[in-house]
Amino acid sequence: MNKSYQKLIKGNQIYAETKKFQNPEYFENLSKGQKPEYLWIGCSDSRVPANEITSTHSGEIFVHRNIANLVVHTDTNLLSGLEYAVKSLEAKHIIVCGHYGCGGVKAAMTNTYHGFVDNWLRNIKDVYFKNQEELQAINNEDDKANRLSELNVIEQVRNLAKTTIVQEAWSHRELHLHGWVYGLRDGLVKDLSVIHNGQEDIDS
Ligand code: ZN
């Protein structure tokens, strides 16, 4: 069978053996349940894996990923995960993590036809339109795309704050929303300091 496919099966065996060798109860303990403190909303890009870049382990982060880390109010997939993470798992922090060099963000800056995904990227075009004065003043296309990645994260954190799920949680407990951008070139996250801790942090 295809070598690149077999690599995954082998890799999984090595993973399971290594974990069991380090801690014989590792999987037994994990199988009892999860109580992650964080919900991660990130880009599907293969170079931005939530656990790996934060040095966290299985069970620590509840993850939702889509193209360009969008929080769309009609996305039942995202809203279902958000509700479960906030209500059932009682996550304390929600992190929207975008990244520089995002293909989705770059594609949204063009008028080229990409297929069905253009409907999804429409949301980023809206962010561009909202910030066009600032963005059009940037001459370098890469710098412009990187700034749009940041502005996109800020907008998605705002979208998150506007959901009934987050607002309902704020009515009786603490829940912190954060916006990050990850650098593919240096492996570091930049905290954009768009922290929303409650109703007072959003537009009336
Ligand atoms: Zn991306």
Side-chain angles (χ1 to χ4, degrees):
M1 208 183 290
N2 190 309
K3 236 177 147 182
S4 65
Y5 170 76
Q6 282 300 339
K7 190 181 112 174
L8 299 189
I9 305 289
K10 242 203 144 72
N12 171 251
Q13 285 162 354
I14 294 167
Y15 162 77
E17 279 163 21
T18 309
K19 288 292 178 195
K20 272 190 276 186
F21 176 75
Q22 288 165 344
N23 175 8
E25 262 101 67
Y26 185 76
F27 292 110
E28 185 56 35
N29 289 339
L30 272 180
S31 71
K32 287 175 189 158
Q34 61 168 338
K35 194 72 186 152
E37 278 186 40
Y38 318 94
L39 165 63
W40 178 275
I41 298 171
C43 183
S44 298
D45 193 301
S46 60
R47 299 164 296 180
V48 197
N51 284 124
E52 196 176 329
I53 66 169
T54 54
S55 297
T56 48
H57 301 104
S58 302
E60 288 191 82
I61 306 183
F62 194 75
V63 174
H64 175 91
R65 289 167 74 177
N66 61 42
I67 293 173
N69 42 270
L70 300 182
V71 177
V72 177
H73 292 135
T74 50
D75 180 357
T76 51
N77 183 6
L78 175 119
L79 294 174
S80 302
L82 175 66
E83 184 178 65
Y84 184 66
V86 171
K87 284 194 175 173
S88 302
L89 299 174
E90 296 176 323
K92 296 186 180 113
H93 301 270
I94 305 177
I95 298 152
V96 176
C97 184
H99 64 105
Y100 296 120
C102 182
V105 170
K106 282 183 185 169
M109 282 171 55
T110 70
N111 286 320
T112 316
Y113 173 75
H114 300 96
F116 183 77
V117 74
D118 288 331
N119 297 287
W120 183 249
L121 300 179
R122 183 69 245 174
N123 297 290
I124 310 173
K125 285 178 184 280
D126 291 342
V127 179
Y128 188 105
F129 183 71
K130 224 173 146 179
N131 300 278
Q132 57 181 327
E133 211 171 302
E134 179 189 343
L135 289 164
Q136 276 164 6
I138 304 170
N139 291 322
N140 181 291
E141 283 305 296
D142 286 336
D143 292 345
K144 195 185 283 191
N146 288 341
R147 181 58 184 149
L148 182 54
S149 285
E150 293 179 352
L151 293 167
N152 182 48
V153 165
I154 294 167
E155 194 64 28
Q156 304 318 312
V157 174
R158 280 193 195 126
N159 287 347
L160 206 48
K162 291 173 197 161
T163 62
T164 51
I165 298 161
V166 167
Q167 297 198 357
E168 199 274 328
W170 278 342
S171 70
H172 60 91
R173 74 168 177 96
E174 282 193 0
L175 176 63
H176 310 286
L177 316 184
H178 313 266
W180 292 2
V181 183
Y182 173 77
L184 294 175
R185 287 172 179 275
D186 60 11
L188 294 171
V189 293
K190 179 177 169 186
D191 189 336
L192 296 173
S193 305
V194 275
I195 303 158
H196 287 46
N197 297 313
Q199 206 84 11
E200 66 282 1
D201 293 328
I202 59 172
D203 295 336
S204 57

